[in-house]
Amino acid sequence: MKASMTETSGFKTVAPSVKDSRATRRARRETREITLIVAAVVVLLAVGAINHRFVSFENIRFMVLNSVVLSLVALGQTWVIATKGIDLSVAPIMGLTAVVTGLLAQGSGLPLIGAFGIALVIGLVLGTINGLLVARLTIPPIIVTLGTYSIYSGLIFIYSNGTQVDQVPAAYAAFGNGRIAPWLPIPIPVLTLAIVLFLCWFALGYTLFGRAVLAIGNNAVAAYNAGVSVISTQVRVYMISGVLAALAGLVFVCYTGSATVTTGTGDHVELQSIAVALIGGTAIAGGRGNMIGTVLGGLFLSVILTALVFLHVPPIWYSAGEGAMILVTVTLGMRQSRAGKAS
Amino acid sequence: MASAALDTARGLDTGVYEARDLTKRYGNVAVLRGVSLTMRPGRVHTIMGENGAGKSTAFKMLSGIVKPTSGSLSLDGHALSLASPAAAHHAGIYLVPQEPALMPELTVTETMFVGQLPTTGMFPRRVDWKAARSRAVQALATLKLDIDPDQLARHLSIAQQQQLECAKALLRGCRVILFDEPTSPLTTHEVERLFTTMRRLRGEGYTLGFISHRMDEVLDISDDISVLRDGALVDSVEREAFDRVRLLSKMVGREMRVVPRRQISHATTTPILRVTGLAHEPRFRDVSFTLHKGEILGFAGLVGAGRTEIAETIFGLRRRDAGTVELAGEDISAASSHDIIRKGLVYAPEDRARHGAVLPMTITENLTSGLLERVKTRMGLLSQSDEDRIGAETVARYRVRCAGTDQKMRQLSGGNQQKVVFGKWMGIGPEVAILDEPTRGVDVGAKDEIYELIDGLAHEGMGIIAISSELEELVRLCDRILSVYEGRIVAELTGDDITPERVSSSYLTSAEVSGR
Amino acid sequence: MKEVENTVTARRTGSRFPLDGWERSLLALLVVEIAGFCIGIPGFYDGIGSLLGLTQNFLPFGIVALGLSVVILTGGIDLSVGSMAGLGAIVMAEFWQGLHLSIWLSALLGVGTGAVLGWINGMIITRLNTEPLIATLATSFIYGSVGTALAGENPPAGFPDSFNALGQGEVGGLIPYQLILFVVLAIFFSLLMSRSAYGRKVVMIGYNGEAARYSGMRVPRVICSAYVISGTMAALAGIVLASYYSAVRPDMGDILLLTTITMVVLGGVSIFGGEGRIAGVVMAVLLLGVLRQGMLIAGFSDMVTTMVTGAILLTAIAIRNLVSGRGTGFALLFLRLRRLGGGKVPEAAE
């Protein structure tokens, strides 16, 4: 495809080379992932040099397993932030699911499959409420989810009525801690996260829905003008966020075997999930979402926090480390994009 | 090299787009009244008119953004009812906006396909990136655009974005492409490139619509011209019948008179502002001039020549690479705009809605915002009575038509908003005022009032720099005119040299000289 | 041209009544609420003193809300108010216990700490050009850690009675010190935001930061100062809480954040900045505070009242957006879009 140079206007006429598009796209998109992986490896090696147990298989398994719950919530948060929204209500949705499924399992022996069904329903219903309020009633997302945060937290309290989950049936514990197969030491929650990650990654990158999400996050009016259905996409995004938060709640109760009224809200999972998404390279201004980055961000956070344990840093400093990480990654990210703009 | 993208669209002799009796009312105000147009394939149909004549509204109705109050549209004889821009695209009509809506974080390929991404497979149905990219490459090549399909859209210039919009129109198989005043933010080179693309499309049999109020451009590119005035169609001519004077007089609605020059100059020989070697790469460099008391100095040039940037740099809003600015002998090159205002230099920006005024705030609040110290305070509180007094005095002095001084700015007309912005800055009693496009978006009648205001200020001894893209305005106002071309002052005109023709040729000639 | 019609009307068009429609509705609701509680809930009204005394349970929220309002009016947000409140109180307690300073001097240092923390927020936001949400999210984690570290295993407690009176005592057994403090602050902030040059700048920046810059306002400086104010108020609230409990805990500020944002937004302050007034925020503080106390007295649990608070917030904002069409930003945009296209894109008709 050779373009002719016959035009006179001083118009450079070059047919762009038809090289593989994905190569360029990857090069541009995956810098954050590489940064996070390199940083995690550096931390692993550095801390591992001081204490060999840090790089032991057991510890690595623990660090990965430990990141699953937060990463699940953060994946949902990534969807919402990509549309320029924010979802604070993930924390009570997660807590409510943990308490409801846990109490039902503890009290009336609800089978695990039933727990999945309940989690799905809770996530869908509560997420849809968020989505409708944002898209239909046109209330800013931060206010909507602030309001539903209070309401959903209240639901946890009303449902649990002061009781708490302190143990779960064997099937639950197996789901939360077991390995895929006796010969394959990958924890089931990690597999769950991998499946969810794959679905999210695929949906964001390769489906019309995923691209509509990004288009809305970039420029909602232009997206609407181009025929993107803004309202239904927004509602669906909050539904996904709700369902993933609910799934995280179920994994949490299976993994830890406990759940209380403050599960989710007490640890400020809503803020943590935003932090993880930002660390993973999702832009708070919308229009850019990075699912793999989010999971790597969750993993990196887990590695850092565990490293602090191994370095005998008192636990009270963990959240300071988290805050510093947000600042560093986000300001670095902005430097990068500004440099890109200048070129 | 006929490509598939063009072939699909070229079905010969299609693309006759007609509008009958288009009318648009907002409440009681008719923005457009019974306008009928016929756009034909292989021709560029230009709509001319002054600000507020209804040009953009017409295009918005032709492209589904605004619904007409009454009237009908038809394409190749089939009646159309466009409920949305997407519906218009579907019907084959595409509007290229002046500043295309950007999807900054998406790649060029994807922005071209938003809402229309090709898919492949049944389950899961997924985006066919390969097909998208090759079609994007093809469309870009058809228009001979040098844009990397994989780069992020935020890196595109406005000119590139407009060109990309053309490619998007091709991808959507649209046969009618409307350009809503595309040239005003472009440099000369960019305009030329856009015209090359437009001619190419015309040659391929597309139906093109164009809005501009730059006579030279219009005469250059158009095949048909329709003139709108106050929402009504007042003239419609074909290429053979083009007549500059007739078009202008139809546009303005009165016989073209010889532009009146100012009767009396108030200019003195006392320098008040001296700029030496000012530079801000890559926008402008080596800018030197002196402004005198009572003088009205015009900055002529094309949009994008760097005039606004020069003004903003003098006013301390932009970083300065080199040069000095002296106000009444004092070096203010390094001062912030906060301090520069207090030293007696003010700047009324061209974009009122974004920079000049805070529309949700009241007239009085806008008036005092330039220098809140003007308002007397009691125990740290702004005196309401003093502020009311300032508001009332300014409103009276500058004849702002409003219901009261606590009316919100957004309820005022463009001309009255502009008077408030003037009042805001003149109230501080500056020595130098830089007025950037002082009559943009102002009705013809109100323009005269603003000219009188500016003249009055010069009479009081203020030094004034007027940046304007309207030749008539410069000719009417200025004692002296500096022509700016691509970031340099290329000519200085005084006295009898100041005529529309000489002013425009002063920078257009430079364009030809340095453009080749 | 038409000189004749130029009869300049330089008067003010609106009334000078200090409350606008939204604030009047809040006031009416508050009156109805208090009257309803007095009649409907046995034990709610037990003399005027006890009624006023109820405010001690929620006024720290109000103090934080006043400072947060300034930040939100600039178009920003401060997620770190909770941890600044905790840290301010702990700094005070440590000065008092560790260095044996006078409790009041320590309290002053605690408030000063809040100012410094807010200044750090402001510098991160203006100098590093960070989104306020991200910056204050990060610093909230950091300040929280520092507070926990300073507090140690056994945070100081048992402050002198004279200090505890700030949170628990009343003037003449009737008017709580807290209430006096809040009223003074509310008047101060109301005047600051509506009548001072500073407030004018904040509002202008909130509506249109670029226009403020073109008017020669030192935008970064004003924005930074808003965070200083927010930090100062948060720390002050932390100290009042310390006095109320006569103890400090690093996490004592955690409950503040979401409730105070609710109060500010319910008070009519636009989350996008510019619009809204302190009077509304004060109404919202009283409305939500009294509601919580009333429901607690009526035997509802804390969480139920939280739920009701959330529901009120959403209902109020939804009504405001839909009825008065005062929605801003995206809200308004989408409203317009929907009217245009009915939410989906119909095909072009033949």
Side-chain angles (χ1 to χ4, degrees):
Chain A
M1 183 175 246
K2 192 177 176 304
S4 61
M5 293 283 286
T6 50
E7 292 302 323
T8 51
S9 58
F11 200 52
K12 210 166 83 184
T13 56
V14 178
S17 58
V18 196
K19 63 189 170 204
D20 179 23
S21 64
R22 278 176 300 181
T24 359
R25 279 156 40 104
R26 276 205 189 121
R28 206 165 273 130
R29 292 293 162 120
E30 292 180 359
T31 48
R32 178 61 64 97
E33 285 95 313
I34 291 164
T35 315
L36 284 172
I37 290 171
V38 169
V41 169
V42 168
V43 173
L44 277 175
L45 293 181
V47 180
I50 299 167
N51 187 335
H52 293 301
R53 280 204 305 116
F54 187 68
V55 285
S56 70
F57 174 76
E58 265 315 299
N59 188 51
I60 290 178
R61 176 182 177 278
F62 168 79
M63 289 190 292
V64 174
L65 190 54
N66 225 13
S67 75
V68 168
V69 170
L70 186 54
S71 291
L72 282 173
V73 182
L75 282 173
Q77 190 72 259
T78 305
W79 280 104
V80 176
I81 295 178
T83 61
K84 223 171 194 160
I86 199 157
D87 189 351
L88 300 178
S89 71
V90 286
I93 293 179
M94 172 185 152
L96 183 65
T97 313
V99 166
V100 170
T101 55
L103 284 179
L104 284 175
Q106 189 174 271
S108 45
L110 175 80
L112 187 57
I113 184 79
F116 270 100
I118 287 172
L120 187 69
V121 170
I122 291 177
L124 275 182
V125 170
L126 300 189
T128 308
I129 293 173
N130 284 336
L132 287 176
L133 288 168
V134 169
R136 272 282 163 208
L137 290 186
T138 68
I139 308 174
I142 191 169
I143 295 177
V144 166
T145 54
L146 188 64
T148 55
Y149 184 101
S150 305
I151 298 175
Y152 301 166
S153 315
L155 290 179
I156 307 178
F157 193 84
I158 291 174
Y159 186 85
S160 69
N161 200 14
T163 55
Q164 62 179 49
V165 182
D166 27 44
Q167 70 173 55
V168 289
Y172 286 66
F175 172 69
N177 291 286
R179 44 177 67 177
I180 297 172
W183 43 269
L184 192 61
I186 295 175
I188 295 175
V190 174
L191 178 71
T192 312
L193 176 65
I195 294 171
V196 170
L197 170 63
F198 174 77
L199 291 177
C200 287
W201 169 81
F202 180 80
L204 186 69
Y206 293 92
T207 67
L208 292 180
F209 167 70
R211 303 325 285 180
V213 164
L214 293 182
I216 291 171
N218 269 286
N219 190 330
V221 178
Y224 172 84
N225 282 343
V228 173
S229 137
V230 175
I231 288 177
S232 77
T233 306
Q234 275 191 318
V235 174
R236 280 193 274 173
V237 157
Y238 286 89
M239 284 163 69
I240 293 176
S241 175
V243 167
L244 290 184
L247 181 61
L250 181 58
V251 172
F252 178 86
V253 77
C254 294
Y255 174 50
T256 63
S258 69
T260 67
V261 176
T262 58
T263 296
T265 50
D267 298 329
H268 286 297
V269 165
E270 75 284 0
L271 300 183
Q272 302 234 18
S273 64
I274 297 168
V276 166
L278 297 179
I279 291 170
T282 295
I284 194 82
R288 182 148 50 95
N290 186 339
M291 296 297 172
I292 296 173
T294 295
V295 169
L296 287 175
L299 209 54
F300 183 54
L301 192 62
S302 175
V303 169
I304 292 279
L305 295 186
T306 317
L308 293 178
V309 176
F310 274 77
L311 296 173
H312 304 293
V313 175
I316 45 180
W317 291 107
Y318 295 175
S319 72
E322 206 172 322
M325 261 173 66
I326 299 172
L327 277 184
V328 169
T329 49
V330 171
T331 43
L332 279 185
M334 285 200 322
R335 288 276 146 76
Q336 272 173 8
S337 71
R338 232 179 273 150
K341 212 173 208 163
S343 69
Chain B
M1 50 177 277
S3 67
L6 286 178
D7 280 343
T8 53
R10 193 156 42 158
L12 279 168
D13 284 336
T14 60
V16 181
Y17 193 23
E18 283 182 285
R20 285 279 156 267
D21 290 326
L22 277 191
T23 299
K24 181 68 193 177
R25 295 175 171 283
Y26 292 103
N28 286 328
V29 186
V31 187
L32 214 62
R33 292 173 296 188
V35 170
S36 299
L37 299 168
T38 304
M39 300 183 163
R40 285 190 294 274
R43 296 178 75 87
V44 176
H45 190 129
T46 298
I47 301 192
M48 295 191 77
E50 293 205 296
N51 286 326
K55 297 168 295 190
S56 279
T57 313
F59 267 26
K60 281 181 182 151
M61 286 191 281
L62 290 172
S63 57
I65 297 173
V66 170
K67 277 185 197 158
T69 313
S70 64
S72 63
L73 300 173
S74 68
L75 186 60
D76 296 328
H78 300 286
L80 282 183
S81 152
L82 304 175
S84 68
H89 299 168
H90 192 78
I93 299 146
Y94 198 90
L95 177 80
V96 178
Q98 184 186 94
E99 290 193 20
L102 200 55
M103 300 262 173
E105 298 286 347
L106 301 184
T107 62
V108 165
T109 300
E110 188 166 4
T111 52
M112 293 170 74
F113 283 97
V114 167
Q116 310 257 326
L117 281 163
T119 54
T120 175
M122 282 306 291
F123 192 83
R125 196 159 72 99
R126 58 191 185 276
V127 175
D128 190 346
W129 286 116
K130 229 180 211 167
R133 189 176 185 282
S134 67
R135 283 173 59 191
V137 168
Q138 198 176 43
L140 291 170
T142 306
L143 290 174
K144 298 193 167 57
L145 301 182
D146 179 25
I147 297 175
D148 173 6
D150 302 321
Q151 79 185 114
L152 290 185
R154 65 162 180 246
H155 297 139
L156 298 176
S157 69
I158 286 190
Q160 285 177 314
Q161 292 168 34
Q162 288 179 351
Q163 304 253 12
L164 195 62
E165 290 290 315
C166 299
K168 282 167 78 172
L170 296 198
L171 280 173
R172 284 164 173 70
C174 293
R175 288 160 298 164
V176 180
I177 306 178
L178 309 174
F179 294 83
D180 184 0
E181 209 166 342
T183 56
S184 53
L186 303 186
T187 66
T188 340
H189 282 307
E190 290 168 340
V191 169
E192 225 164 276
R193 280 183 218 172
L194 178 70
F195 281 5
T196 309
T197 305
M198 287 175 68
R199 289 198 184 95
R200 195 170 283 138
L201 290 166
R202 173 169 66 185
E204 299 284 350
Y206 283 80
T207 307
L208 302 183
F210 180 62
I211 289 181
S212 173
H213 51 216
R214 295 186 189 168
M215 189 53 81
D216 296 325
E217 281 173 14
V218 171
L219 296 176
D220 180 18
I221 191 93
S222 313
D223 299 295
D224 301 287
I225 299 179
S226 296
V227 182
L228 290 183
R229 190 175 72 234
D230 298 332
L233 186 69
V234 291
D235 201 3
S236 207
V237 287
E238 296 197 359
R239 187 165 194 85
E240 301 70 47
F242 285 177
D243 175 352
R244 194 186 191 104
V245 177
R246 172 178 156 188
L247 287 172
L248 276 175
S249 60
K250 288 280 184 189
M251 238 169 83
V252 185
R254 49 183 145 84
E255 283 306 305
M256 273 302 286
R257 46 184 176 163
V258 180
V259 181
R261 286 277 296 136
R262 297 173 65 222
Q263 299 303 310
I264 316 145
S265 171
H266 309 296
T268 64
T269 52
T270 324
I272 180 74
L273 180 75
R274 181 171 278 136
V275 175
T276 322
L278 199 64
H280 171 80
E281 292 295 348
R283 301 315 300 256
F284 64 87
R285 63 212 63 83
D286 204 20
V287 169
S288 304
F289 64 89
T290 303
L291 175 74
H292 303 94
K293 283 194 167 186
E295 182 182 33
I296 303 181
L297 175 63
F299 269 43
L302 295 165
V303 173
R307 295 169 301 165
T308 294
E309 287 81 358
I310 294 172
E312 289 183 354
T313 309
I314 294 174
F315 187 56
L317 289 169
R318 284 172 181 264
R319 174 180 58 81
R320 159 191 63 104
D321 292 331
T324 55
V325 181
E326 276 173 55
L327 179 67
E330 186 185 356
D331 188 353
I332 59 162
S333 333
S336 66
S337 15
H338 175 267
D339 298 335
I340 288 176
I341 290 170
R342 281 147 186 85
K343 290 179 194 296
L345 186 149
V346 299
Y347 169 63
E350 63 176 316
D351 190 336
R352 263 197 312 278
R354 271 166 59 199
H355 304 142
V358 183
L359 301 182
M361 291 176 85
T362 68
I363 295 175
T364 311
E365 284 167 342
N366 270 282
L367 279 175
T368 52
S369 64
L371 189 66
L372 277 164
E373 294 95 303
R374 277 173 76 193
V375 185
K376 286 200 194 87
T377 51
R378 270 197 320 267
M379 293 163 55
L381 300 182
L382 299 169
S383 153
Q384 282 184 347
S385 56
D386 193 45
E387 203 168 7
D388 284 349
R389 178 189 59 78
I390 292 175
E393 280 177 12
T394 318
V395 161
R397 172 157 185 210
Y398 295 101
R399 298 188 213 136
V400 179
R401 268 175 282 276
C402 58
T405 49
D406 66 342
Q407 209 180 0
K408 304 266 191 254
M409 275 293 262
R410 71 154 69 91
Q411 297 167 326
L412 300 186
S413 70
N416 283 307
Q417 285 181 3
Q418 188 66 22
K419 290 184 209 163
V420 173
V421 173
F422 274 25
K424 157 179 166 182
W425 290 125
M426 299 321 151
I428 344 183
E431 297 182 84
V432 173
I434 307 177
L435 311 173
D436 198 348
E437 302 288 358
T439 62
R440 168 162 295 182
V442 172
D443 310 330
V444 182
K447 276 187 182 179
D448 286 334
E449 284 186 68
I450 286 175
Y451 296 149
E452 280 168 35
L453 275 179
I454 296 175
D455 197 56
L457 294 168
H459 184 56
E460 288 166 21
M462 197 182 293
I464 292 171
I465 297 176
I467 300 174
S468 177
S469 300
E470 292 183 40
L471 295 174
E472 248 193 86
E473 180 164 300
L474 288 170
V475 169
R476 157 132 194 212
L477 272 178
C478 301
D479 299 311
R480 186 158 61 102
I481 289 177
L482 298 177
S483 266
V484 181
Y485 178 75
E486 301 214 328
R488 276 178 211 283
I489 294 178
V490 291
E492 176 173 350
L493 301 167
T494 48
D496 292 341
D497 281 347
I498 301 183
T499 64
E501 292 71 26
R502 294 214 184 150
V503 174
S504 70
S505 68
S506 71
Y507 53 81
L508 289 177
T509 324
S510 329
E512 279 152 26
V513 171
S514 58
R516 186 67 311 221
Chain C
M1 34 183 233
K2 286 179 212 155
E3 301 284 337
V4 204
E5 92 185 45
N6 187 31
T7 48
V8 177
T9 45
R11 67 196 153 75
R12 309 188 139 238
T13 48
S15 76
R16 289 231 181 172
F17 190 66
L19 301 179
D20 72 3
W22 183 253
E23 288 144 16
R24 268 179 258 178
S25 324
L26 290 176
L27 181 62
L29 263 179
L30 180 63
V31 170
V32 169
E33 180 187 70
I34 293 175
F37 282 179
C38 286
I39 297 164
I41 302 174
F44 181 81
Y45 185 80
D46 190 20
I48 193 78
S50 82
L51 191 60
L52 292 177
L54 285 179
T55 60
Q56 289 179 333
N57 299 308
F58 63 79
L59 283 182
F61 289 89
I63 294 172
V64 177
L66 291 176
L68 190 60
S69 299
V70 181
V71 165
I72 296 185
L73 280 170
T74 65
I77 186 116
D78 189 348
L79 300 184
S80 67
V81 283
S83 47
M84 290 192 292
L87 185 49
I90 287 164
V91 166
M92 173 201 75
E94 291 300 330
F95 272 121
W96 172 70
Q97 194 185 53
L99 297 178
H100 305 292
L101 293 182
S102 113
I103 188 75
W104 295 108
L105 180 59
S106 307
L108 200 63
L109 290 170
V111 173
T113 307
V116 172
L117 299 176
W119 179 79
I120 294 173
N121 283 339
M123 291 309 274
I124 293 173
I125 290 161
T126 53
R127 286 292 159 88
L128 298 181
N129 252 328
T130 315
E131 285 274 338
L133 185 88
I134 299 174
T136 56
L137 173 65
T139 56
S140 76
F141 288 146
I142 297 171
Y143 298 164
S145 273
V146 175
T148 316
L150 272 181
E153 305 254 312
N154 294 306
F159 303 118
D161 285 344
S162 65
F163 174 71
N164 292 343
L166 174 66
Q168 305 164 3
E170 294 101 12
V171 176
L174 192 65
I175 304 170
Y177 286 109
Q178 274 201 42
L179 187 60
I180 296 172
L181 178 67
F182 180 71
V183 167
V184 169
L185 286 172
I187 293 172
F188 172 77
F189 271 88
S190 186
L191 290 174
L192 181 73
M193 297 316 292
S194 65
R195 297 278 309 277
S196 78
Y198 175 77
R200 189 65 64 73
K201 289 178 195 165
V202 166
V203 170
M204 192 161 174
I205 289 168
Y207 273 127
N208 187 341
E210 275 295 283
R213 195 167 76 91
Y214 276 76
S215 295
M217 288 177 186
R218 299 182 232 197
V219 177
R221 194 182 285 196
V222 176
I223 288 181
C224 194
S225 68
Y227 289 88
V228 171
I229 290 175
S230 168
T232 310
M233 286 294 114
L236 180 61
I239 284 161
V240 173
L241 276 177
S243 146
Y244 179 72
Y245 293 120
S246 193
V248 292
R249 284 208 355 232
D251 60 348
M252 64 196 239
D254 280 9
I255 45 166
L256 290 170
L257 176 65
L258 297 184
T259 312
T260 47
I261 297 180
T262 306
M263 286 168 169
V264 174
V265 171
L266 182 64
V269 175
S270 160
I271 201 86
F272 303 106
E275 189 170 315
R277 300 192 309 167
I278 298 294
V281 176
V282 172
M283 301 291 167
V285 167
L286 296 177
L287 190 70
L288 293 183
V290 170
L291 179 77
R292 166 165 247 120
Q293 296 311 312
M295 291 186 67
L296 289 177
I297 292 171
F300 290 100
S301 71
D302 202 35
M303 276 326 242
V304 175
T305 59
T306 306
M307 280 179 82
V308 174
T309 307
I312 288 178
L313 173 73
L314 288 178
T315 320
I317 302 300
I319 289 174
R320 196 172 128 157
N321 272 5
L322 292 181
V323 176
S324 62
R326 260 181 20 165
T328 34
F330 261 145
L332 199 67
L333 183 75
F334 281 136
L335 269 181
R336 212 176 302 140
L337 284 180
R338 260 217 322 280
R339 266 188 227 122
L340 212 78
K344 50 185 188 296
V345 181
E347 296 289 300
E350 275 296 285

